[in-house]
């Protein structure tokens, strides 16, 4: 298996292009649970170009009805990125101070569940700026969101068979 570099700039360029509209190649899940993790996955894919087609536990999108839960589900994306030892992107949970552009943040409730996945697109005056779907945003300060818990996912790279 070959280790490749995650192209953070391509991920951010994709986020900028599609933050306020929808790429017709992907279904818009806004009205059925939210589109944030779908958008985050699209951004990550733009920076990797590699999906993991392992049934159930992989990370891929072919159509709205042929995809893994990790493509659109907050917790499932976390589990895939932090546990992936196969093809595709892989990440580790890090403090917010270690995030770079192209990484993702997940916002959670006090009860423990995480519900939103914005993409890091920049930094300004010590603030993390993000892009997101469902409630479209680009260059939005992370701390303008209301949340109880937060975790950062730093994408370490991508593997290809």
């Amino acid at each position: 298996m070959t280790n490749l570099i995650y192209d953070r700039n391509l991920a951010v360029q994709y986020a900028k292009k599609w933050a306020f509209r929808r790429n017709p190649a992907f279904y818009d899940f806004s009205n059925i649970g939210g589109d944030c993790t779908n958008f985050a996955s699209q951004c990550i894919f733009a920076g990797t170009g590699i999906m993991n087609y392992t049934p159930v536990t992989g990370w891929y999108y072919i159509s709205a009805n042929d995809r893994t839960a990790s493509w659109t589900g907050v917790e499932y994306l976390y589990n895939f990125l932090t546990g992936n030892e196969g093809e595709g992107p892989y990440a580790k949970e890090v403090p917010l101070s270690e995030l770079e552009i192209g990484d993702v943040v997940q916002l959670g409730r006090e009860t423990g569940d995480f519900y939103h996945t914005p993409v890091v697109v920049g930094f300004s005056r010590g603030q993390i700026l993000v892009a997101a779907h469902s409630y479209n945003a680009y260059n939005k300060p992370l701390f303008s969101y209301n949340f109880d818990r937060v975790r950062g996912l730093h994408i370490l790279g991508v593997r290809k068979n």
Side-chain angles (χ1 to χ4, degrees):
M1 191 148 328
T2 306
N3 265 329
L4 304 172
I5 294 171
Y6 174 50
D7 193 327
R8 298 175 178 283
N9 290 320
L10 282 179
V12 171
Q13 287 170 21
Y14 185 95
K16 184 175 185 177
K17 179 176 182 176
W18 295 106
F20 295 102
R21 39 194 193 127
R22 302 296 186 263
N23 182 338
F26 297 92
Y27 185 79
D28 179 0
F29 294 91
S30 294
N31 295 321
I32 54 171
D35 200 54
C36 66
T37 305
N38 177 38
F39 178 65
S41 287
Q42 291 173 44
C43 293
I44 294 167
F45 179 65
T48 64
I50 309 272
M51 292 184 189
N52 179 316
Y53 291 98
T54 305
V56 182
T57 60
W59 176 77
Y60 67 85
Y61 178 98
I62 297 169
S63 71
N65 297 316
D66 190 0
R67 61 184 162 84
T68 50
S70 60
W71 190 271
T72 53
V74 177
E75 290 289 350
Y76 296 104
L77 178 63
Y78 174 87
N79 292 338
F80 173 76
L81 288 174
T82 59
N84 182 27
E85 295 180 359
E87 201 164 33
Y90 57 98
K92 69 176 181 177
E93 187 173 342
V94 297
L96 298 183
S97 61
E98 294 180 24
L99 291 174
E100 298 177 35
I101 63 166
D103 286 335
V104 296
V105 178
Q106 294 190 319
L107 309 182
R109 296 179 183 88
E110 195 174 303
T111 54
D113 62 316
F114 285 83
Y115 59 86
H116 192 47
T117 309
V119 178
V120 177
V121 295
F123 301 90
S124 177
R125 299 184 189 132
Q127 288 219 45
I128 296 169
L129 304 176
V130 297
H133 267 190
S134 290
Y135 300 104
N136 299 347
Y138 187 81
N139 272 342
K140 180 176 181 167
L142 175 63
F143 288 97
S144 67
Y145 285 94
N146 185 17
F147 55 88
D148 299 314
R149 302 174 66 206
V150 63
R151 62 186 177 198
L153 289 172
H154 176 63
I155 298 171
L156 298 167
V158 58
R159 294 184 195 96
K160 181 178 181 177
N161 280 333

